[in-house]
PDB file of all heavy atoms in Angstrom:
ATOM      1  N   GLU K  24      11.530   5.621  23.084  1.00 94.00           N
ATOM      2  CA  GLU K  24      11.661   5.901  21.606  1.00 94.00           C
ATOM      3  C   GLU K  24      11.064   4.681  20.885  1.00 94.00           C
ATOM      4  O   GLU K  24      10.319   4.951  19.841  1.00 94.00           O
ATOM      5  CB  GLU K  24      13.060   6.107  21.252  1.00 94.00           C
ATOM      6  CG  GLU K  24      13.137   6.485  19.724  1.00 94.00           C
ATOM      7  CD  GLU K  24      14.651   6.767  19.359  1.00 94.00           C
ATOM      8  OE1 GLU K  24      15.529   6.148  19.921  1.00 94.00           O
ATOM      9  OE2 GLU K  24      14.842   7.539  18.457  1.00 94.00           O
ATOM     10  N   GLU K  25      11.384   3.471  21.239  1.00 95.00           N
ATOM     11  CA  GLU K  25      10.848   2.311  20.506  1.00 95.00           C
ATOM     12  C   GLU K  25       9.319   2.282  20.552  1.00 95.00           C
ATOM     13  O   GLU K  25       8.619   1.932  19.683  1.00 95.00           O
ATOM     14  CB  GLU K  25      11.496   0.997  21.009  1.00 95.00           C
ATOM     15  CG  GLU K  25      12.932   0.846  20.625  1.00 95.00           C
ATOM     16  CD  GLU K  25      13.485  -0.434  21.229  1.00 95.00           C
ATOM     17  OE1 GLU K  25      13.257  -0.673  22.452  1.00 95.00           O
ATOM     18  OE2 GLU K  25      14.206  -1.151  20.550  1.00 95.00           O
ATOM     19  N   LEU K  26       8.800   2.541  21.820  1.00 97.00           N
ATOM     20  CA  LEU K  26       7.418   2.527  22.045  1.00 97.00           C
ATOM     21  C   LEU K  26       6.654   3.625  21.128  1.00 97.00           C
ATOM     22  O   LEU K  26       5.621   3.327  20.464  1.00 97.00           O
ATOM     23  CB  LEU K  26       7.042   2.797  23.492  1.00 97.00           C
ATOM     24  CG  LEU K  26       5.539   2.910  23.806  1.00 97.00           C
ATOM     25  CD1 LEU K  26       4.799   1.556  23.354  1.00 97.00           C
ATOM     26  CD2 LEU K  26       5.397   3.185  25.309  1.00 97.00           C
ATOM     27  N   LYS K  27       7.236   4.816  21.020  1.00 97.00           N
ATOM     28  CA  LYS K  27       6.620   5.909  20.213  1.00 97.00           C
ATOM     29  C   LYS K  27       6.632   5.522  18.791  1.00 97.00           C
ATOM     30  O   LYS K  27       5.640   5.722  18.032  1.00 97.00           O
ATOM     31  CB  LYS K  27       7.337   7.160  20.461  1.00 97.00           C
ATOM     32  CG  LYS K  27       7.129   7.794  21.835  1.00 97.00           C
ATOM     33  CD  LYS K  27       7.927   9.074  22.037  1.00 97.00           C
ATOM     34  CE  LYS K  27       7.702   9.737  23.402  1.00 97.00           C
ATOM     35  NZ  LYS K  27       8.524  10.936  23.629  1.00 97.00           N
ATOM     36  N   ARG K  28       7.767   4.956  18.241  1.00 97.00           N
ATOM     37  CA  ARG K  28       7.865   4.542  16.930  1.00 97.00           C
ATOM     38  C   ARG K  28       6.815   3.480  16.595  1.00 97.00           C
ATOM     39  O   ARG K  28       6.215   3.394  15.507  1.00 97.00           O
ATOM     40  CB  ARG K  28       9.232   4.038  16.603  1.00 97.00           C
ATOM     41  CG  ARG K  28      10.360   5.001  16.372  1.00 97.00           C
ATOM     42  CD  ARG K  28      11.620   4.295  16.025  1.00 97.00           C
ATOM     43  NE  ARG K  28      12.736   5.185  15.790  1.00 97.00           N
ATOM     44  CZ  ARG K  28      14.043   4.832  15.640  1.00 97.00           C
ATOM     45  NH1 ARG K  28      14.307   3.511  15.848  1.00 97.00           N
ATOM     46  NH2 ARG K  28      14.869   5.613  15.412  1.00 97.00           N
ATOM     47  N   LEU K  29       6.659   2.474  17.543  1.00 98.00           N
ATOM     48  CA  LEU K  29       5.711   1.410  17.288  1.00 98.00           C
ATOM     49  C   LEU K  29       4.284   1.900  17.233  1.00 98.00           C
ATOM     50  O   LEU K  29       3.470   1.552  16.312  1.00 98.00           O
ATOM     51  CB  LEU K  29       5.865   0.350  18.415  1.00 98.00           C
ATOM     52  CG  LEU K  29       4.867  -0.810  18.373  1.00 98.00           C
ATOM     53  CD1 LEU K  29       5.054  -1.636  17.123  1.00 98.00           C
ATOM     54  CD2 LEU K  29       5.087  -1.642  19.642  1.00 98.00           C
ATOM     55  N   LEU K  30       3.944   2.840  18.129  1.00 98.00           N
ATOM     56  CA  LEU K  30       2.633   3.475  18.146  1.00 98.00           C
ATOM     57  C   LEU K  30       2.302   4.220  16.791  1.00 98.00           C
ATOM     58  O   LEU K  30       1.311   4.095  16.257  1.00 98.00           O
ATOM     59  CB  LEU K  30       2.428   4.447  19.337  1.00 98.00           C
ATOM     60  CG  LEU K  30       2.422   3.798  20.667  1.00 98.00           C
ATOM     61  CD1 LEU K  30       2.470   4.835  21.808  1.00 98.00           C
ATOM     62  CD2 LEU K  30       1.285   2.833  20.856  1.00 98.00           C
ATOM     63  N   TRP K  31       3.325   4.958  16.455  1.00 98.00           N
ATOM     64  CA  TRP K  31       3.131   5.657  15.100  1.00 98.00           C
ATOM     65  C   TRP K  31       3.005   4.742  13.975  1.00 98.00           C
ATOM     66  O   TRP K  31       2.129   4.888  13.102  1.00 98.00           O
ATOM     67  CB  TRP K  31       4.350   6.591  14.839  1.00 98.00           C
ATOM     68  CG  TRP K  31       4.181   7.461  13.670  1.00 98.00           C
ATOM     69  CD1 TRP K  31       3.722   8.805  13.637  1.00 98.00           C
ATOM     70  CD2 TRP K  31       4.367   7.165  12.194  1.00 98.00           C
ATOM     71  NE1 TRP K  31       3.672   9.314  12.352  1.00 98.00           N
ATOM     72  CE2 TRP K  31       4.072   8.308  11.498  1.00 98.00           C
ATOM     73  CE3 TRP K  31       4.810   6.036  11.587  1.00 98.00           C
ATOM     74  CZ2 TRP K  31       4.179   8.361  10.185  1.00 98.00           C
ATOM     75  CZ3 TRP K  31       4.969   6.051  10.182  1.00 98.00           C
ATOM     76  CH2 TRP K  31       4.700   7.193   9.497  1.00 98.00           C
ATOM     77  N   THR K  32       3.684   3.603  13.980  1.00 98.00           N
ATOM     78  CA  THR K  32       3.693   2.666  12.874  1.00 98.00           C
ATOM     79  C   THR K  32       2.294   1.828  12.885  1.00 98.00           C
ATOM     80  O   THR K  32       1.816   1.583  11.837  1.00 98.00           O
ATOM     81  CB  THR K  32       4.830   1.623  13.017  1.00 98.00           C
ATOM     82  OG1 THR K  32       6.066   2.372  12.951  1.00 98.00           O
ATOM     83  CG2 THR K  32       4.816   0.676  11.877  1.00 98.00           C
ATOM     84  N   LEU K  33       1.869   1.585  14.042  1.00 98.00           N
ATOM     85  CA  LEU K  33       0.563   0.824  14.233  1.00 98.00           C
ATOM     86  C   LEU K  33      -0.600   1.633  13.566  1.00 98.00           C
ATOM     87  O   LEU K  33      -1.421   1.135  12.701  1.00 98.00           O
ATOM     88  CB  LEU K  33       0.204   0.569  15.631  1.00 98.00           C
ATOM     89  CG  LEU K  33       0.914  -0.593  16.314  1.00 98.00           C
ATOM     90  CD1 LEU K  33       0.843  -0.492  17.842  1.00 98.00           C
ATOM     91  CD2 LEU K  33       0.383  -1.929  15.777  1.00 98.00           C
ATOM     92  N   SER K  34      -0.680   2.854  13.826  1.00 98.00           N
ATOM     93  CA  SER K  34      -1.792   3.737  13.321  1.00 98.00           C
ATOM     94  C   SER K  34      -1.338   4.466  12.084  1.00 98.00           C
ATOM     95  O   SER K  34      -2.245   5.127  11.434  1.00 98.00           O
ATOM     96  CB  SER K  34      -2.248   4.756  14.409  1.00 98.00           C
ATOM     97  OG  SER K  34      -1.240   5.637  14.753  1.00 98.00           O
ATOM     98  N   ILE K  35      -0.170   4.390  11.731  1.00 98.00           N
ATOM     99  CA  ILE K  35       0.462   5.077  10.555  1.00 98.00           C
ATOM    100  C   ILE K  35       0.054   6.542  10.516  1.00 98.00           C
ATOM    101  O   ILE K  35      -0.728   7.050   9.724  1.00 98.00           O
ATOM    102  CB  ILE K  35       0.176   4.445   9.196  1.00 98.00           C
ATOM    103  CG1 ILE K  35       0.319   2.919   9.274  1.00 98.00           C
ATOM    104  CG2 ILE K  35       0.979   5.029   8.089  1.00 98.00           C
ATOM    105  CD1 ILE K  35       0.084   2.175   7.968  1.00 98.00           C
ATOM    106  N   GLY K  36       0.593   7.225  11.552  1.00 95.00           N
ATOM    107  CA  GLY K  36       0.357   8.648  11.621  1.00 95.00           C
ATOM    108  C   GLY K  36      -0.898   9.099  12.274  1.00 95.00           C
ATOM    109  O   GLY K  36      -1.325  10.242  12.197  1.00 95.00           O
ATOM    110  N   GLY K  37      -1.471   8.219  13.193  1.00 95.00           N
ATOM    111  CA  GLY K  37      -2.518   8.677  14.037  1.00 95.00           C
ATOM    112  C   GLY K  37      -3.838   7.912  13.743  1.00 95.00           C
ATOM    113  O   GLY K  37      -4.058   7.497  12.546  1.00 95.00           O
ATOM    114  N   ASN K  38      -4.734   7.892  14.767  1.00 97.00           N
ATOM    115  CA  ASN K  38      -6.022   7.161  14.545  1.00 97.00           C
ATOM    116  C   ASN K  38      -6.841   7.813  13.499  1.00 97.00           C
ATOM    117  O   ASN K  38      -7.705   7.068  12.897  1.00 97.00           O
ATOM    118  CB  ASN K  38      -6.780   7.186  15.878  1.00 97.00           C
ATOM    119  CG  ASN K  38      -6.122   6.251  16.836  1.00 97.00           C
ATOM    120  OD1 ASN K  38      -5.192   5.393  16.534  1.00 97.00           O
ATOM    121  ND2 ASN K  38      -6.617   6.306  18.147  1.00 97.00           N
ATOM    122  N   GLU K  39      -6.736   9.066  13.306  1.00 96.00           N
ATOM    123  CA  GLU K  39      -7.648   9.683  12.340  1.00 96.00           C
ATOM    124  C   GLU K  39      -6.953   9.771  10.890  1.00 96.00           C
ATOM    125  O   GLU K  39      -7.656  10.358  10.012  1.00 96.00           O
ATOM    126  CB  GLU K  39      -7.979  11.108  12.824  1.00 96.00           C
ATOM    127  CG  GLU K  39      -8.646  11.214  14.198  1.00 96.00           C
ATOM    128  CD  GLU K  39      -9.794  10.203  14.300  1.00 96.00           C
ATOM    129  OE1 GLU K  39     -10.647  10.209  13.408  1.00 96.00           O
ATOM    130  OE2 GLU K  39      -9.851   9.478  15.361  1.00 96.00           O
ATOM    131  N   SER K  40      -5.826   9.245  10.832  1.00 97.00           N
ATOM    132  CA  SER K  40      -5.220   9.340   9.431  1.00 97.00           C
ATOM    133  C   SER K  40      -5.884   8.324   8.467  1.00 97.00           C
ATOM    134  O   SER K  40      -6.593   7.415   8.905  1.00 97.00           O
ATOM    135  CB  SER K  40      -3.743   9.028   9.493  1.00 97.00           C
ATOM    136  OG  SER K  40      -3.548   7.602   9.703  1.00 97.00           O
ATOM    137  N   SER K  41      -5.681   8.535   7.151  1.00 97.00           N
ATOM    138  CA  SER K  41      -6.254   7.657   6.185  1.00 97.00           C
ATOM    139  C   SER K  41      -5.371   6.511   5.721  1.00 97.00           C
ATOM    140  O   SER K  41      -5.554   5.869   4.752  1.00 97.00           O
ATOM    141  CB  SER K  41      -6.647   8.493   4.918  1.00 97.00           C
ATOM    142  OG  SER K  41      -5.481   9.173   4.406  1.00 97.00           O
ATOM    143  N   HIS K  42      -4.307   6.290   6.586  1.00 98.00           N
ATOM    144  CA  HIS K  42      -3.297   5.273   6.224  1.00 98.00           C
ATOM    145  C   HIS K  42      -3.647   3.906   6.816  1.00 98.00           C
ATOM    146  O   HIS K  42      -4.036   3.837   7.969  1.00 98.00           O
ATOM    147  CB  HIS K  42      -1.891   5.679   6.682  1.00 98.00           C
ATOM    148  CG  HIS K  42      -1.424   7.036   6.036  1.00 98.00           C
ATOM    149  ND1 HIS K  42      -0.905   7.101   4.792  1.00 98.00           N
ATOM    150  CD2 HIS K  42      -1.474   8.238   6.528  1.00 98.00           C
ATOM    151  CE1 HIS K  42      -0.663   8.346   4.506  1.00 98.00           C
ATOM    152  NE2 HIS K  42      -0.965   9.145   5.557  1.00 98.00           N
ATOM    153  N   CYS K  43      -3.499   2.880   5.941  1.00 98.00           N
ATOM    154  CA  CYS K  43      -3.886   1.508   6.394  1.00 98.00           C
ATOM    155  C   CYS K  43      -2.801   0.523   6.067  1.00 98.00           C
ATOM    156  O   CYS K  43      -2.035   0.705   5.164  1.00 98.00           O
ATOM    157  CB  CYS K  43      -5.246   1.154   5.596  1.00 98.00           C
ATOM    158  SG  CYS K  43      -6.572   2.159   5.969  1.00 98.00           S
ATOM    159  N   HIS K  44      -2.987  -0.555   6.779  1.00 98.00           N
ATOM    160  CA  HIS K  44      -2.077  -1.804   6.538  1.00 98.00           C
ATOM    161  C   HIS K  44      -2.832  -2.799   5.590  1.00 98.00           C
ATOM    162  O   HIS K  44      -4.003  -2.549   5.252  1.00 98.00           O
ATOM    163  CB  HIS K  44      -1.810  -2.528   7.804  1.00 98.00           C
ATOM    164  CG  HIS K  44      -0.998  -1.684   8.805  1.00 98.00           C
ATOM    165  ND1 HIS K  44       0.391  -1.676   8.765  1.00 98.00           N
ATOM    166  CD2 HIS K  44      -1.416  -0.967   9.897  1.00 98.00           C
ATOM    167  CE1 HIS K  44       0.822  -0.873   9.753  1.00 98.00           C
ATOM    168  NE2 HIS K  44      -0.214  -0.439  10.454  1.00 98.00           N
ATOM    169  N   LYS K  45      -2.092  -3.791   5.087  1.00 98.00           N
ATOM    170  CA  LYS K  45      -2.696  -4.809   4.285  1.00 98.00           C
ATOM    171  C   LYS K  45      -2.360  -6.143   4.982  1.00 98.00           C
ATOM    172  O   LYS K  45      -1.180  -6.384   5.375  1.00 98.00           O
ATOM    173  CB  LYS K  45      -2.087  -4.809   2.934  1.00 98.00           C
ATOM    174  CG  LYS K  45      -2.746  -3.772   2.008  1.00 98.00           C
ATOM    175  CD  LYS K  45      -3.507  -4.450   0.891  1.00 98.00           C
ATOM    176  CE  LYS K  45      -3.991  -3.528  -0.145  1.00 98.00           C
ATOM    177  NZ  LYS K  45      -4.786  -4.234  -1.204  1.00 98.00           N
ATOM    178  N   ILE K  46      -3.364  -7.071   4.984  1.00 98.00           N
ATOM    179  CA  ILE K  46      -3.142  -8.416   5.505  1.00 98.00           C
ATOM    180  C   ILE K  46      -3.896  -9.439   4.641  1.00 98.00           C
ATOM    181  O   ILE K  46      -4.703  -9.089   3.873  1.00 98.00           O
ATOM    182  CB  ILE K  46      -3.685  -8.527   6.964  1.00 98.00           C
ATOM    183  CG1 ILE K  46      -5.178  -8.268   7.015  1.00 98.00           C
ATOM    184  CG2 ILE K  46      -2.953  -7.647   7.947  1.00 98.00           C
ATOM    185  CD1 ILE K  46      -5.819  -8.596   8.445  1.00 98.00           C
ATOM    186  N   GLY K  47      -3.477 -10.710   4.814  1.00 96.00           N
ATOM    187  CA  GLY K  47      -4.190 -11.855   4.187  1.00 96.00           C
ATOM    188  C   GLY K  47      -3.970 -12.010   2.706  1.00 96.00           C
ATOM    189  O   GLY K  47      -2.976 -11.450   2.104  1.00 96.00           O
ATOM    190  N   MET K  48      -4.813 -12.851   2.106  1.00 93.00           N
ATOM    191  CA  MET K  48      -4.676 -13.202   0.751  1.00 93.00           C
ATOM    192  C   MET K  48      -5.378 -12.057  -0.215  1.00 93.00           C
ATOM    193  O   MET K  48      -6.243 -11.404   0.308  1.00 93.00           O
ATOM    194  CB  MET K  48      -5.410 -14.532   0.420  1.00 93.00           C
ATOM    195  CG  MET K  48      -4.602 -15.783   0.790  1.00 93.00           C
ATOM    196  SD  MET K  48      -5.501 -17.263   0.474  1.00 93.00           S
ATOM    197  CE  MET K  48      -5.866 -17.178  -1.284  1.00 93.00           C
ATOM    198  N   GLY K  49      -4.998 -12.086  -1.395  1.00 92.00           N
ATOM    199  CA  GLY K  49      -5.730 -11.227  -2.381  1.00 92.00           C
ATOM    200  C   GLY K  49      -5.306  -9.749  -2.424  1.00 92.00           C
ATOM    201  O   GLY K  49      -6.039  -9.002  -2.858  1.00 92.00           O
ATOM    202  N   LYS K  50      -4.173  -9.489  -1.810  1.00 94.00           N
ATOM    203  CA  LYS K  50      -3.722  -8.013  -1.799  1.00 94.00           C
ATOM    204  C   LYS K  50      -3.747  -7.412  -3.139  1.00 94.00           C
ATOM    205  O   LYS K  50      -4.126  -6.297  -3.355  1.00 94.00           O
ATOM    206  CB  LYS K  50      -2.400  -7.924  -1.113  1.00 94.00           C
ATOM    207  CG  LYS K  50      -2.344  -8.345   0.359  1.00 94.00           C
ATOM    208  CD  LYS K  50      -0.926  -8.167   0.899  1.00 94.00           C
ATOM    209  CE  LYS K  50      -0.744  -8.715   2.355  1.00 94.00           C
ATOM    210  NZ  LYS K  50      -0.712 -10.238   2.292  1.00 94.00           N
ATOM    211  N   PRO K  51      -3.217  -8.121  -4.222  1.00 92.00           N
ATOM    212  CA  PRO K  51      -3.143  -7.480  -5.515  1.00 92.00           C
ATOM    213  C   PRO K  51      -4.430  -7.174  -6.146  1.00 92.00           C
ATOM    214  O   PRO K  51      -4.571  -6.302  -7.018  1.00 92.00           O
ATOM    215  CB  PRO K  51      -2.434  -8.552  -6.402  1.00 92.00           C
ATOM    216  CG  PRO K  51      -1.710  -9.451  -5.474  1.00 92.00           C
ATOM    217  CD  PRO K  51      -2.607  -9.483  -4.243  1.00 92.00           C
ATOM    218  N   ILE K  52      -5.547  -7.854  -5.715  1.00 92.00           N
ATOM    219  CA  ILE K  52      -6.879  -7.599  -6.326  1.00 92.00           C
ATOM    220  C   ILE K  52      -7.775  -6.764  -5.376  1.00 92.00           C
ATOM    221  O   ILE K  52      -8.994  -6.629  -5.679  1.00 92.00           O
ATOM    222  CB  ILE K  52      -7.592  -8.948  -6.781  1.00 92.00           C
ATOM    223  CG1 ILE K  52      -7.847  -9.742  -5.527  1.00 92.00           C
ATOM    224  CG2 ILE K  52      -6.840  -9.621  -7.836  1.00 92.00           C
ATOM    225  CD1 ILE K  52      -8.677 -10.974  -5.802  1.00 92.00           C
ATOM    226  N   GLY K  53      -7.191  -6.171  -4.388  1.00 93.00           N
ATOM    227  CA  GLY K  53      -7.915  -5.162  -3.593  1.00 93.00           C
ATOM    228  C   GLY K  53      -8.396  -5.677  -2.220  1.00 93.00           C
ATOM    229  O   GLY K  53      -8.995  -4.911  -1.544  1.00 93.00           O
ATOM    230  N   LEU K  54      -8.057  -6.904  -1.831  1.00 96.00           N
ATOM    231  CA  LEU K  54      -8.452  -7.386  -0.520  1.00 96.00           C
ATOM    232  C   LEU K  54      -7.371  -6.971   0.569  1.00 96.00           C
ATOM    233  O   LEU K  54      -6.301  -6.596   0.224  1.00 96.00           O
ATOM    234  CB  LEU K  54      -8.547  -8.916  -0.585  1.00 96.00           C
ATOM    235  CG  LEU K  54      -9.437  -9.631  -1.535  1.00 96.00           C
ATOM    236  CD1 LEU K  54      -9.493 -11.134  -1.328  1.00 96.00           C
ATOM    237  CD2 LEU K  54     -10.915  -8.982  -1.535  1.00 96.00           C
ATOM    238  N   GLY K  55      -7.866  -7.087   1.834  1.00 97.00           N
ATOM    239  CA  GLY K  55      -6.888  -6.969   2.906  1.00 97.00           C
ATOM    240  C   GLY K  55      -6.568  -5.677   3.563  1.00 97.00           C
ATOM    241  O   GLY K  55      -5.714  -5.543   4.328  1.00 97.00           O
ATOM    242  N   SER K  56      -7.264  -4.583   3.136  1.00 98.00           N
ATOM    243  CA  SER K  56      -7.010  -3.274   3.806  1.00 98.00           C
ATOM    244  C   SER K  56      -7.577  -3.174   5.188  1.00 98.00           C
ATOM    245  O   SER K  56      -8.823  -3.328   5.268  1.00 98.00           O
ATOM    246  CB  SER K  56      -7.479  -2.154   2.848  1.00 98.00           C
ATOM    247  OG  SER K  56      -6.836  -2.183   1.622  1.00 98.00           O
ATOM    248  N   ILE K  57      -6.827  -2.793   6.115  1.00 98.00           N
ATOM    249  CA  ILE K  57      -7.404  -2.589   7.487  1.00 98.00           C
ATOM    250  C   ILE K  57      -6.768  -1.310   8.136  1.00 98.00           C
ATOM    251  O   ILE K  57      -5.680  -0.949   7.795  1.00 98.00           O
ATOM    252  CB  ILE K  57      -6.963  -3.818   8.392  1.00 98.00           C
ATOM    253  CG1 ILE K  57      -5.499  -3.909   8.552  1.00 98.00           C
ATOM    254  CG2 ILE K  57      -7.545  -5.091   7.927  1.00 98.00           C
ATOM    255  CD1 ILE K  57      -4.948  -4.901   9.647  1.00 98.00           C
ATOM    256  N   LYS K  58      -7.583  -0.686   8.957  1.00 98.00           N
ATOM    257  CA  LYS K  58      -7.111   0.461   9.725  1.00 98.00           C
ATOM    258  C   LYS K  58      -6.912   0.024  11.187  1.00 98.00           C
ATOM    259  O   LYS K  58      -7.826  -0.470  11.806  1.00 98.00           O
ATOM    260  CB  LYS K  58      -8.133   1.626   9.648  1.00 98.00           C
ATOM    261  CG  LYS K  58      -7.796   2.839  10.445  1.00 98.00           C
ATOM    262  CD  LYS K  58      -6.447   3.435  10.082  1.00 98.00           C
ATOM    263  CE  LYS K  58      -6.089   4.614  11.048  1.00 98.00           C
ATOM    264  NZ  LYS K  58      -4.686   5.195  10.573  1.00 98.00           N
ATOM    265  N   ILE K  59      -5.701   0.213  11.715  1.00 98.00           N
ATOM    266  CA  ILE K  59      -5.496  -0.073  13.091  1.00 98.00           C
ATOM    267  C   ILE K  59      -5.471   1.274  13.923  1.00 98.00           C
ATOM    268  O   ILE K  59      -4.897   2.313  13.492  1.00 98.00           O
ATOM    269  CB  ILE K  59      -4.048  -0.737  13.301  1.00 98.00           C
ATOM    270  CG1 ILE K  59      -4.035  -2.131  12.581  1.00 98.00           C
ATOM    271  CG2 ILE K  59      -3.741  -0.946  14.777  1.00 98.00           C
ATOM    272  CD1 ILE K  59      -2.702  -2.827  12.687  1.00 98.00           C
ATOM    273  N   LYS K  60      -6.171   1.192  15.017  1.00 98.00           N
ATOM    274  CA  LYS K  60      -6.230   2.410  15.910  1.00 98.00           C
ATOM    275  C   LYS K  60      -5.717   1.991  17.305  1.00 98.00           C
ATOM    276  O   LYS K  60      -5.827   0.887  17.677  1.00 98.00           O
ATOM    277  CB  LYS K  60      -7.638   2.924  16.049  1.00 98.00           C
ATOM    278  CG  LYS K  60      -8.209   3.500  14.702  1.00 98.00           C
ATOM    279  CD  LYS K  60      -9.585   4.129  14.887  1.00 98.00           C
ATOM    280  CE  LYS K  60     -10.065   4.761  13.559  1.00 98.00           C
ATOM    281  NZ  LYS K  60     -11.398   5.430  13.794  1.00 98.00           N
ATOM    282  N   ILE K  61      -5.129   3.021  17.966  1.00 98.00           N
ATOM    283  CA  ILE K  61      -4.658   2.779  19.347  1.00 98.00           C
ATOM    284  C   ILE K  61      -5.701   3.226  20.313  1.00 98.00           C
ATOM    285  O   ILE K  61      -6.162   4.383  20.290  1.00 98.00           O
ATOM    286  CB  ILE K  61      -3.395   3.670  19.587  1.00 98.00           C
ATOM    287  CG1 ILE K  61      -2.305   3.436  18.484  1.00 98.00           C
ATOM    288  CG2 ILE K  61      -2.817   3.248  21.008  1.00 98.00           C
ATOM    289  CD1 ILE K  61      -1.869   2.013  18.342  1.00 98.00           C
ATOM    290  N   ASP K  62      -6.266   2.272  21.064  1.00 97.00           N
ATOM    291  CA  ASP K  62      -7.337   2.609  22.064  1.00 97.00           C
ATOM    292  C   ASP K  62      -6.787   3.188  23.312  1.00 97.00           C
ATOM    293  O   ASP K  62      -7.249   4.218  23.870  1.00 97.00           O
ATOM    294  CB  ASP K  62      -8.210   1.405  22.265  1.00 97.00           C
ATOM    295  CG  ASP K  62      -8.953   0.931  21.027  1.00 97.00           C
ATOM    296  OD1 ASP K  62      -9.225   1.796  20.233  1.00 97.00           O
ATOM    297  OD2 ASP K  62      -9.169  -0.211  20.902  1.00 97.00           O
ATOM    298  N   ARG K  63      -5.752   2.549  23.863  1.00 97.00           N
ATOM    299  CA  ARG K  63      -5.054   3.077  25.032  1.00 97.00           C
ATOM    300  C   ARG K  63      -3.804   2.339  25.243  1.00 97.00           C
ATOM    301  O   ARG K  63      -3.596   1.224  24.747  1.00 97.00           O
ATOM    302  CB  ARG K  63      -5.944   3.074  26.287  1.00 97.00           C
ATOM    303  CG  ARG K  63      -6.164   1.647  26.779  1.00 97.00           C
ATOM    304  CD  ARG K  63      -7.041   1.740  28.057  1.00 97.00           C
ATOM    305  NE  ARG K  63      -7.159   0.398  28.736  1.00 97.00           N
ATOM    306  CZ  ARG K  63      -7.985  -0.580  28.443  1.00 97.00           C
ATOM    307  NH1 ARG K  63      -8.797  -0.433  27.417  1.00 97.00           N
ATOM    308  NH2 ARG K  63      -7.996  -1.671  29.139  1.00 97.00           N
ATOM    309  N   VAL K  64      -2.878   2.968  25.973  1.00 97.00           N
ATOM    310  CA  VAL K  64      -1.537   2.393  26.345  1.00 97.00           C
ATOM    311  C   VAL K  64      -1.413   2.395  27.791  1.00 97.00           C
ATOM    312  O   VAL K  64      -1.632   3.383  28.491  1.00 97.00           O
ATOM    313  CB  VAL K  64      -0.386   3.138  25.705  1.00 97.00           C
ATOM    314  CG1 VAL K  64       0.973   2.541  26.098  1.00 97.00           C
ATOM    315  CG2 VAL K  64      -0.508   3.269  24.177  1.00 97.00           C
ATOM    316  N   THR K  65      -1.118   1.255  28.408  1.00 97.00           N
ATOM    317  CA  THR K  65      -0.831   1.185  29.875  1.00 97.00           C
ATOM    318  C   THR K  65       0.609   0.715  30.110  1.00 97.00           C
ATOM    319  O   THR K  65       1.121  -0.244  29.375  1.00 97.00           O
ATOM    320  CB  THR K  65      -1.819   0.239  30.553  1.00 97.00           C
ATOM    321  OG1 THR K  65      -1.713  -1.068  29.933  1.00 97.00           O
ATOM    322  CG2 THR K  65      -3.245   0.697  30.466  1.00 97.00           C
ATOM    323  N   ILE K  66       1.251   1.404  31.104  1.00 95.00           N
ATOM    324  CA  ILE K  66       2.621   1.042  31.435  1.00 95.00           C
ATOM    325  C   ILE K  66       2.602   0.356  32.802  1.00 95.00           C
ATOM    326  O   ILE K  66       1.895   0.828  33.717  1.00 95.00           O
ATOM    327  CB  ILE K  66       3.478   2.338  31.569  1.00 95.00           C
ATOM    328  CG1 ILE K  66       3.493   3.142  30.275  1.00 95.00           C
ATOM    329  CG2 ILE K  66       4.928   1.998  31.974  1.00 95.00           C
ATOM    330  CD1 ILE K  66       4.046   2.418  29.066  1.00 95.00           C
ATOM    331  N   ARG K  67       3.253  -0.821  32.885  1.00 91.00           N
ATOM    332  CA  ARG K  67       3.244  -1.528  34.174  1.00 91.00           C
ATOM    333  C   ARG K  67       4.571  -1.234  34.900  1.00 91.00           C
ATOM    334  O   ARG K  67       5.651  -1.340  34.324  1.00 91.00           O
ATOM    335  CB  ARG K  67       3.099  -3.044  33.865  1.00 91.00           C
ATOM    336  CG  ARG K  67       3.114  -3.912  35.123  1.00 91.00           C
ATOM    337  CD  ARG K  67       3.069  -5.413  34.784  1.00 91.00           C
ATOM    338  NE  ARG K  67       4.442  -5.783  34.367  1.00 91.00           N
ATOM    339  CZ  ARG K  67       4.801  -7.002  33.950  1.00 91.00           C
ATOM    340  NH1 ARG K  67       3.851  -7.928  33.839  1.00 91.00           N
ATOM    341  NH2 ARG K  67       6.046  -7.263  33.626  1.00 91.00           N
TER     342      ARG K  67
END
């Protein structure tokens, strides 16, 4: 359950969704938008 929640949060609703995170300086003036995608998950 934790893994699934984490995967959903990373891509915020899937790789093809329009939802993005914000990082770094200058967030208020429009900097820092990034899209995270999950390429693959491996279980050891």
